[in-house]
Amino acid sequence: MRERLTDALYGLGWGAVKKLPEPVAAGLGRRIADTVWKRRGKSVLRLESNLARVLPEACPERLAALSRAGMRSYMRYWMESFRLPAWSADRVRDGFDVDDLHHLTDGLAAGKGVVLALPHMGNYDLAGAWVTTKLGVPFTTVAERLKPETLYDRFVAYREGLGMEVLPHTGGSAFGTLARRLRDGGLVCLVADRDLSASGVEVEFFGEATRMPAGPALLAQQTGALLLPVTLWYDGSPVMRGRVHPPVAVPAAGTRTEKTSVMAQALADAFATGIAEHPEDWHMLQRLWLADLESRQEPS
């Protein structure tokens, strides 16, 4: 019953919110965010706990203000996502402004393929739609399988409608397909600040241990593709901002495991730089650090 209700709510969002005028949708998102924030549920408390790692000197009042801004940012992501299928090409092209884009365009021009790795910041669906619309570059990504299956199908159809090729995260064939796209000089975009498998790479992130996916580093090693971290944020305007960080190099020496560890740490460091600058736009409402994950598994 819960799965069917969730699917119905998402369907209502895509069906109804996209018909609202943009200012009305934005205002609705802020009201929902403030209501959820005031209830101080598990997601809000987890967001504050995560933000406390980012800003260890922040007082409780500062963390509360950040979590409120974070929930508003998160709901802006959803309001935009529900409306993206109805946006004109001009609205998409004008909706994103990115610094240091030359890292991406130069990499694509070299013909060796590019892997863009992003944390859960801003609206990566909007950034992806901008890439396919403004740059005219198709790309491949992966999506976590959701329950019910109809909800997963909604997300796949939504992202494919924005010009993306979407592969399931599970099933074992995604890595090979991504590698082929890169060898053909293509673009791959992966959200990479939270490990969804049992094979993540341990990194230090804001002074504590967590795991991040090995996929971006392994793809770069195996295919020769350029690996570029990207961070996204909102600046109070209708336009989302972003930055393409300098490439993460493949180490010249070491085993594959050692190289992957070094590259994953470099990605984590780039993510940390962007998150520290715009913590309210990091939408991490789940447990992330190993200490938190392990404490959840301890018997009560």
Side-chain angles (χ1 to χ4, degrees), residues 87-97 126 129-136 239:
W87 280 16
S88 67
D90 285 342
R91 179 66 181 89
V92 172
R93 284 190 289 263
D94 294 341
F96 182 44
D97 183 35
L126 171 55
W130 185 88
V131 167
T132 61
T133 304
K134 174 78 171 182
L135 301 184
V239 178

mmCIF file of all heavy atoms in Angstrom, residues 87-97 126 129-136 239:
data_model
loop_
_atom_site.group_PDB
_atom_site.id
_atom_site.type_symbol
_atom_site.label_atom_id
_atom_site.label_comp_id
_atom_site.label_asym_id
_atom_site.label_seq_id
_atom_site.Cartn_x
_atom_site.Cartn_y
_atom_site.Cartn_z
ATOM 1 N N TRP A 87 9.167 22.529 -19.521
ATOM 2 C CA TRP A 87 9.996 23.695 -19.828
ATOM 3 C C TRP A 87 10.320 23.740 -21.315
ATOM 4 O O TRP A 87 10.565 22.707 -21.947
ATOM 5 C CB TRP A 87 11.302 23.643 -19.042
ATOM 6 C CG TRP A 87 11.183 24.093 -17.618
ATOM 7 C CD1 TRP A 87 10.031 24.233 -16.891
ATOM 8 C CD2 TRP A 87 12.258 24.434 -16.740
ATOM 9 N NE1 TRP A 87 10.322 24.637 -15.610
ATOM 10 C CE2 TRP A 87 11.683 24.772 -15.495
ATOM 11 C CE3 TRP A 87 13.637 24.490 -16.887
ATOM 12 C CZ2 TRP A 87 12.460 25.160 -14.404
ATOM 13 C CZ3 TRP A 87 14.406 24.870 -15.801
ATOM 14 C CH2 TRP A 87 13.824 25.206 -14.575
ATOM 15 N N SER A 88 10.372 24.937 -21.852
ATOM 16 C CA SER A 88 10.803 25.103 -23.236
ATOM 17 C C SER A 88 12.311 24.917 -23.314
ATOM 18 O O SER A 88 13.025 24.978 -22.304
ATOM 19 C CB SER A 88 10.438 26.503 -23.740
ATOM 20 O OG SER A 88 11.203 27.491 -23.058
ATOM 21 N N ALA A 89 12.797 24.719 -24.530
ATOM 22 C CA ALA A 89 14.244 24.582 -24.724
ATOM 23 C C ALA A 89 14.963 25.843 -24.265
ATOM 24 O O ALA A 89 16.046 25.770 -23.656
ATOM 25 C CB ALA A 89 14.551 24.284 -26.187
ATOM 26 N N ASP A 90 14.371 27.004 -24.518
ATOM 27 C CA ASP A 90 14.992 28.260 -24.085
ATOM 28 C C ASP A 90 15.048 28.339 -22.565
ATOM 29 O O ASP A 90 16.052 28.822 -21.997
ATOM 30 C CB ASP A 90 14.224 29.462 -24.640
ATOM 31 C CG ASP A 90 14.479 29.695 -26.120
ATOM 32 O OD1 ASP A 90 15.483 29.157 -26.642
ATOM 33 O OD2 ASP A 90 13.675 30.400 -26.753
ATOM 34 N N ARG A 91 14.000 27.897 -21.887
ATOM 35 C CA ARG A 91 13.984 27.935 -20.418
ATOM 36 C C ARG A 91 15.073 27.024 -19.854
ATOM 37 O O ARG A 91 15.734 27.371 -18.866
ATOM 38 C CB ARG A 91 12.602 27.515 -19.891
ATOM 39 C CG ARG A 91 12.507 27.495 -18.357
ATOM 40 C CD ARG A 91 12.653 28.879 -17.776
ATOM 41 N NE ARG A 91 12.590 28.874 -16.323
ATOM 42 C CZ ARG A 91 13.641 28.725 -15.519
ATOM 43 N NH1 ARG A 91 14.848 28.577 -16.049
ATOM 44 N NH2 ARG A 91 13.503 28.739 -14.211
ATOM 45 N N VAL A 92 15.259 25.866 -20.459
ATOM 46 C CA VAL A 92 16.321 24.964 -20.011
ATOM 47 C C VAL A 92 17.689 25.594 -20.244
ATOM 48 O O VAL A 92 18.558 25.598 -19.364
ATOM 49 C CB VAL A 92 16.223 23.606 -20.735
ATOM 50 C CG1 VAL A 92 17.438 22.728 -20.413
ATOM 51 C CG2 VAL A 92 14.938 22.881 -20.346
ATOM 52 N N ARG A 93 17.890 26.144 -21.435
ATOM 53 C CA ARG A 93 19.196 26.740 -21.755
ATOM 54 C C ARG A 93 19.522 27.913 -20.841
ATOM 55 O O ARG A 93 20.686 28.131 -20.485
ATOM 56 C CB ARG A 93 19.213 27.204 -23.226
ATOM 57 C CG ARG A 93 19.371 26.067 -24.221
ATOM 58 C CD ARG A 93 19.630 26.604 -25.611
ATOM 59 N NE ARG A 93 18.438 27.229 -26.178
ATOM 60 C CZ ARG A 93 17.596 26.615 -27.000
ATOM 61 N NH1 ARG A 93 17.831 25.357 -27.369
ATOM 62 N NH2 ARG A 93 16.535 27.240 -27.485
ATOM 63 N N ASP A 94 18.488 28.670 -20.437
ATOM 64 C CA ASP A 94 18.708 29.836 -19.589
ATOM 65 C C ASP A 94 18.691 29.500 -18.103
ATOM 66 O O ASP A 94 18.937 30.377 -17.270
ATOM 67 C CB ASP A 94 17.626 30.889 -19.860
ATOM 68 C CG ASP A 94 17.721 31.465 -21.263
ATOM 69 O OD1 ASP A 94 18.800 31.340 -21.886
ATOM 70 O OD2 ASP A 94 16.707 32.016 -21.743
ATOM 71 N N GLY A 95 18.412 28.248 -17.767
ATOM 72 C CA GLY A 95 18.217 27.881 -16.365
ATOM 73 C C GLY A 95 19.460 27.434 -15.643
ATOM 74 O O GLY A 95 19.388 27.100 -14.450
ATOM 75 N N PHE A 96 20.604 27.408 -16.322
ATOM 76 C CA PHE A 96 21.826 26.901 -15.702
ATOM 77 C C PHE A 96 23.010 27.697 -16.213
ATOM 78 O O PHE A 96 23.118 27.979 -17.405
ATOM 79 C CB PHE A 96 21.990 25.411 -16.042
ATOM 80 C CG PHE A 96 23.190 24.740 -15.421
ATOM 81 C CD1 PHE A 96 23.527 24.946 -14.095
ATOM 82 C CD2 PHE A 96 23.975 23.878 -16.181
ATOM 83 C CE1 PHE A 96 24.622 24.311 -13.523
ATOM 84 C CE2 PHE A 96 25.071 23.238 -15.624
ATOM 85 C CZ PHE A 96 25.398 23.454 -14.290
ATOM 86 N N ASP A 97 23.898 28.054 -15.298
ATOM 87 C CA ASP A 97 25.114 28.791 -15.645
ATOM 88 C C ASP A 97 26.290 28.088 -14.962
ATOM 89 O O ASP A 97 26.271 27.910 -13.739
ATOM 90 C CB ASP A 97 25.011 30.242 -15.182
ATOM 91 C CG ASP A 97 26.224 31.063 -15.583
ATOM 92 O OD1 ASP A 97 26.780 30.819 -16.664
ATOM 93 O OD2 ASP A 97 26.619 31.949 -14.803
ATOM 94 N N LEU A 126 18.337 19.006 -14.026
ATOM 95 C CA LEU A 126 18.378 20.245 -14.801
ATOM 96 C C LEU A 126 19.737 20.394 -15.494
ATOM 97 O O LEU A 126 19.802 20.762 -16.673
ATOM 98 C CB LEU A 126 18.107 21.452 -13.900
ATOM 99 C CG LEU A 126 18.321 22.832 -14.520
ATOM 100 C CD1 LEU A 126 17.509 23.014 -15.791
ATOM 101 C CD2 LEU A 126 17.992 23.927 -13.501
ATOM 102 N N ALA A 129 19.669 18.093 -18.427
ATOM 103 C CA ALA A 129 18.846 18.622 -19.517
ATOM 104 C C ALA A 129 19.561 19.765 -20.228
ATOM 105 O O ALA A 129 19.453 19.910 -21.455
ATOM 106 C CB ALA A 129 17.499 19.094 -18.966
ATOM 107 N N TRP A 130 20.313 20.560 -19.485
ATOM 108 C CA TRP A 130 21.081 21.661 -20.080
ATOM 109 C C TRP A 130 22.172 21.116 -21.001
ATOM 110 O O TRP A 130 22.410 21.647 -22.081
ATOM 111 C CB TRP A 130 21.693 22.505 -18.960
ATOM 112 C CG TRP A 130 22.418 23.730 -19.414
ATOM 113 C CD1 TRP A 130 21.892 24.971 -19.630
ATOM 114 C CD2 TRP A 130 23.822 23.839 -19.684
ATOM 115 N NE1 TRP A 130 22.887 25.850 -20.012
ATOM 116 C CE2 TRP A 130 24.081 25.171 -20.063
ATOM 117 C CE3 TRP A 130 24.884 22.941 -19.645
ATOM 118 C CZ2 TRP A 130 25.353 25.625 -20.396
ATOM 119 C CZ3 TRP A 130 26.161 23.378 -19.986
ATOM 120 C CH2 TRP A 130 26.381 24.712 -20.356
ATOM 121 N N VAL A 131 22.821 20.047 -20.580
ATOM 122 C CA VAL A 131 23.870 19.441 -21.414
ATOM 123 C C VAL A 131 23.284 18.948 -22.733
ATOM 124 O O VAL A 131 23.850 19.181 -23.814
ATOM 125 C CB VAL A 131 24.567 18.299 -20.659
ATOM 126 C CG1 VAL A 131 25.431 17.456 -21.604
ATOM 127 C CG2 VAL A 131 25.436 18.855 -19.539
ATOM 128 N N THR A 132 22.145 18.268 -22.672
ATOM 129 C CA THR A 132 21.560 17.737 -23.903
ATOM 130 C C THR A 132 20.946 18.830 -24.764
ATOM 131 O O THR A 132 20.912 18.706 -25.988
ATOM 132 C CB THR A 132 20.488 16.677 -23.583
ATOM 133 O OG1 THR A 132 19.434 17.265 -22.810
ATOM 134 C CG2 THR A 132 21.088 15.503 -22.813
ATOM 135 N N THR A 133 20.475 19.926 -24.141
ATOM 136 C CA THR A 133 19.790 20.990 -24.879
ATOM 137 C C THR A 133 20.752 22.084 -25.331
ATOM 138 O O THR A 133 20.790 22.437 -26.514
ATOM 139 C CB THR A 133 18.677 21.609 -24.010
ATOM 140 O OG1 THR A 133 17.785 20.572 -23.580
ATOM 141 C CG2 THR A 133 17.891 22.641 -24.790
ATOM 142 N N LYS A 134 21.525 22.621 -24.406
ATOM 143 C CA LYS A 134 22.436 23.726 -24.716
ATOM 144 C C LYS A 134 23.658 23.245 -25.499
ATOM 145 O O LYS A 134 24.038 23.827 -26.519
ATOM 146 C CB LYS A 134 22.878 24.399 -23.428
ATOM 147 C CG LYS A 134 23.941 25.483 -23.586
ATOM 148 C CD LYS A 134 23.351 26.786 -24.076
ATOM 149 C CE LYS A 134 24.389 27.899 -24.022
ATOM 150 N NZ LYS A 134 23.815 29.195 -24.446
ATOM 151 N N LEU A 135 24.274 22.161 -25.014
ATOM 152 C CA LEU A 135 25.474 21.652 -25.672
ATOM 153 C C LEU A 135 25.151 20.674 -26.795
ATOM 154 O O LEU A 135 26.012 20.396 -27.632
ATOM 155 C CB LEU A 135 26.398 20.975 -24.652
ATOM 156 C CG LEU A 135 26.891 21.828 -23.489
ATOM 157 C CD1 LEU A 135 27.872 21.029 -22.636
ATOM 158 C CD2 LEU A 135 27.526 23.123 -23.982
ATOM 159 N N GLY A 136 23.940 20.135 -26.784
ATOM 160 C CA GLY A 136 23.566 19.151 -27.797
ATOM 161 C C GLY A 136 24.316 17.845 -27.663
ATOM 162 O O GLY A 136 24.535 17.143 -28.652
ATOM 163 N N VAL A 239 18.158 30.928 -11.727
ATOM 164 C CA VAL A 239 19.191 30.202 -12.465
ATOM 165 C C VAL A 239 20.044 29.393 -11.501
ATOM 166 O O VAL A 239 20.550 29.917 -10.507
ATOM 167 C CB VAL A 239 20.092 31.185 -13.253
ATOM 168 C CG1 VAL A 239 21.193 30.435 -13.987
ATOM 169 C CG2 VAL A 239 19.249 31.995 -14.231
#
